Amino acid sequence: MRNIVILISGRGSNMQAIVNAAQKEQWPCRIAAVISSRADADGLVYAASLQIPVVVIPSKDYSSRESFDAALLAAIDLHAPDLVVLAGFMRILTPSFVDHYQGRMINIHPSLLPSFPGLATHRQALAAGVKVHGATVHFVTADLDHGPIIAQAMVDVQQDDTEQSLSERVLEKEHLLYPQVVRWFVDGRLSLRDGQVLLATELTGTA
Ligand code: GRF
């Protein structure tokens, strides 16, 4: 049974999508905790309503990145996680924190990386005039939004798209993509070796 810890900072809709898929499809895993960097993160209410242990490590209470990351690491490791899932977790993490979870921490970013790292990705996509946009799930490395890419989902950009309409369509894709990737990990199909993503082919059972 694999332990998963999910980190959020706000709405938590990707966390919900993962939790719901895990329940519905009865993944062999435990969502051991949902940890938020903000006490007012909406996602906490949903997680708590499902009796998932919720923890708040308020980033505003820490004077340095190092001290926050140390507290966060201690809170995460209490749950002996096999996988740490960043789901709208709005913090830049220190290299030593990232190293600690090498090969077992993933993130979703709302663009087709390596295009548009950072914030306001939908605005960046519209300004650049790209015809396709989307979301990326990647292993986390110390280089922000640049870790090895595991999977991507695309949307076509329409002529009349606004930041809002584009973000809604991308978010729908995120809610399918992220649970899929976590499931691969839970099933033991996904790993990181020497900086390369390895995804084993699905085993098709024969009688
Ligand atoms: C998502 O668009 C995700 O790609 C990005 O932050 C947003 C979080 O949304 N990292 P939610 O909190 O999962 O609803």
Tab-separated table of all heavy atoms in Angstrom, residues 3 32 63 65 68 94 108 116 118 126 141 194 207:
chain	number	residue	atom	x	y	z
A	3	ASN	N	1.881	5.198	0.219
A	3	ASN	CA	1.410	6.418	0.894
A	3	ASN	C	1.637	7.624	0.012
A	3	ASN	O	2.734	7.817	-0.516
A	3	ASN	CB	2.189	6.638	2.190
A	3	ASN	CG	1.708	5.727	3.286
A	3	ASN	OD1	0.564	5.273	3.273
A	3	ASN	ND2	2.581	5.442	4.234
A	32	ALA	N	-2.327	9.780	2.613
A	32	ALA	CA	-1.940	9.830	4.027
A	32	ALA	C	-2.188	11.201	4.639
A	32	ALA	O	-2.497	11.301	5.831
A	32	ALA	CB	-0.469	9.449	4.161
A	63	SER	N	10.438	32.733	8.696
A	63	SER	CA	11.177	33.900	8.200
A	63	SER	C	12.097	33.548	7.039
A	63	SER	O	12.582	34.429	6.341
A	63	SER	CB	11.983	34.512	9.341
A	63	SER	OG	12.833	33.523	9.872
A	65	ARG	N	13.103	30.570	3.740
A	65	ARG	CA	12.718	29.400	2.950
A	65	ARG	C	13.192	28.121	3.619
A	65	ARG	O	12.506	27.109	3.635
A	65	ARG	CB	13.391	29.492	1.575
A	65	ARG	CG	12.451	29.790	0.484
A	65	ARG	CD	13.094	29.844	-0.877
A	65	ARG	NE	12.632	31.015	-1.580
A	65	ARG	CZ	11.362	31.282	-1.868
A	65	ARG	NH1	10.414	30.440	-1.538
A	65	ARG	NH2	11.028	32.387	-2.477
A	68	PHE	N	11.017	27.143	6.666
A	68	PHE	CA	9.721	26.634	6.219
A	68	PHE	C	9.884	25.229	5.646
A	68	PHE	O	9.126	24.309	5.995
A	68	PHE	CB	9.101	27.552	5.160
A	68	PHE	CG	7.858	26.974	4.543
A	68	PHE	CD1	6.653	26.975	5.244
A	68	PHE	CD2	7.886	26.395	3.274
A	68	PHE	CE1	5.498	26.417	4.684
A	68	PHE	CE2	6.742	25.836	2.714
A	68	PHE	CZ	5.550	25.849	3.421
A	94	THR	N	13.488	24.765	-1.672
A	94	THR	CA	14.952	24.810	-1.642
A	94	THR	C	15.526	23.544	-2.281
A	94	THR	O	14.896	22.480	-2.240
A	94	THR	CB	15.473	24.905	-0.189
A	94	THR	OG1	14.899	23.835	0.568
A	94	THR	CG2	15.112	26.219	0.447
A	108	ILE	N	2.099	19.533	-11.200
A	108	ILE	CA	1.379	19.828	-12.434
A	108	ILE	C	1.515	21.314	-12.713
A	108	ILE	O	1.393	22.149	-11.804
A	108	ILE	CB	-0.101	19.385	-12.383
A	108	ILE	CG1	-0.723	19.495	-13.776
A	108	ILE	CG2	-0.909	20.165	-11.336
A	108	ILE	CD1	-1.993	18.674	-13.958
A	116	PHE	N	6.349	28.561	-21.278
A	116	PHE	CA	5.613	29.291	-20.237
A	116	PHE	C	5.759	28.728	-18.818
A	116	PHE	O	4.775	28.378	-18.172
A	116	PHE	CB	4.123	29.370	-20.609
A	116	PHE	CG	3.889	29.732	-22.044
A	116	PHE	CD1	2.984	29.013	-22.814
A	116	PHE	CD2	4.596	30.778	-22.638
A	116	PHE	CE1	2.775	29.335	-24.145
A	116	PHE	CE2	4.390	31.109	-23.976
A	116	PHE	CZ	3.481	30.374	-24.736
A	118	GLY	N	6.561	29.368	-14.791
A	118	GLY	CA	6.203	30.500	-13.927
A	118	GLY	C	4.715	30.738	-13.860
A	118	GLY	O	3.914	29.817	-14.045
A	126	LEU	N	-1.659	33.236	-24.578
A	126	LEU	CA	-2.449	34.095	-25.467
A	126	LEU	C	-1.562	35.180	-26.087
A	126	LEU	O	-1.663	35.477	-27.276
A	126	LEU	CB	-3.626	34.722	-24.700
A	126	LEU	CG	-4.757	33.742	-24.318
A	126	LEU	CD1	-5.771	34.429	-23.410
A	126	LEU	CD2	-5.442	33.174	-25.560
A	141	THR	N	12.403	19.065	-9.880
A	141	THR	CA	13.839	19.240	-9.665
A	141	THR	C	14.039	20.659	-9.122
A	141	THR	O	13.087	21.451	-9.080
A	141	THR	CB	14.633	19.076	-10.984
A	141	THR	OG1	14.167	20.077	-11.899
A	141	THR	CG2	14.450	17.696	-11.578
A	194	ASP	N	18.253	8.043	-13.396
A	194	ASP	CA	19.297	8.878	-14.019
A	194	ASP	C	18.695	10.066	-14.757
A	194	ASP	O	19.092	10.386	-15.889
A	194	ASP	CB	20.147	8.036	-14.994
A	194	ASP	CG	20.834	6.881	-14.297
A	194	ASP	OD1	21.163	7.032	-13.102
A	194	ASP	OD2	21.013	5.827	-14.935
A	207	ALA	N	-5.479	-14.893	-19.774
A	207	ALA	CA	-5.997	-16.008	-18.973
A	207	ALA	C	-5.079	-17.213	-19.097
A	207	ALA	O	-4.323	-17.339	-20.029
A	207	ALA	CB	-7.380	-16.378	-19.430
